[in-house]
Amino acid sequence: MPYTITEACTACDQCIDACPIEAISVGDPIYVIDDTCCDFEECVVMCDDEAIVPVEEAW
Ligand code: SF4
Ligand code: SF4
């Protein structure tokens, strides 16, 4: 299940190195996850702001 980053993101930079396939990048103003995201969830536990959620729960 792919994940996405919501407006709760504070651009804290904690998640970007957690993704083993480098699917997270710095956006403007919030970070973004590209369509190569294929689960793992390493980034989810890194986010103190709970800004990373499954795509289907974001909309
Ligand atoms: S869920 Fe996994 S693949 Fe997707 S951005 Fe997070 S660490 Fe990367
Ligand atoms: S860890 Fe969370 S708040 Fe920090 S940059 Fe990543 S998504 Fe944004």
Side-chain angles (χ1 to χ4, degrees):
M1 178 194 311
Y3 282 72
T4 191
I5 294 175
T6 71
E7 292 178 353
C9 174
T10 56
C12 71
D13 202 42
Q14 291 195 79
C15 60
I16 199 160
D17 291 330
C19 179
I21 60 169
E22 299 182 357
I24 302 174
S25 58
V26 177
D28 180 19
I30 64 173
Y31 282 39
V32 292
I33 295 177
D34 67 33
D35 59 10
T36 62
C37 173
C38 53
D39 220 334
F40 300 136
E41 300 183 12
E42 280 90 339
C43 61
V44 176
V45 296
M46 296 299 295
C47 184
D48 292 334
D49 296 295
E50 299 182 355
I52 305 175
V53 299
V55 168
E56 64 190 26
E57 292 180 15
W59 316 114

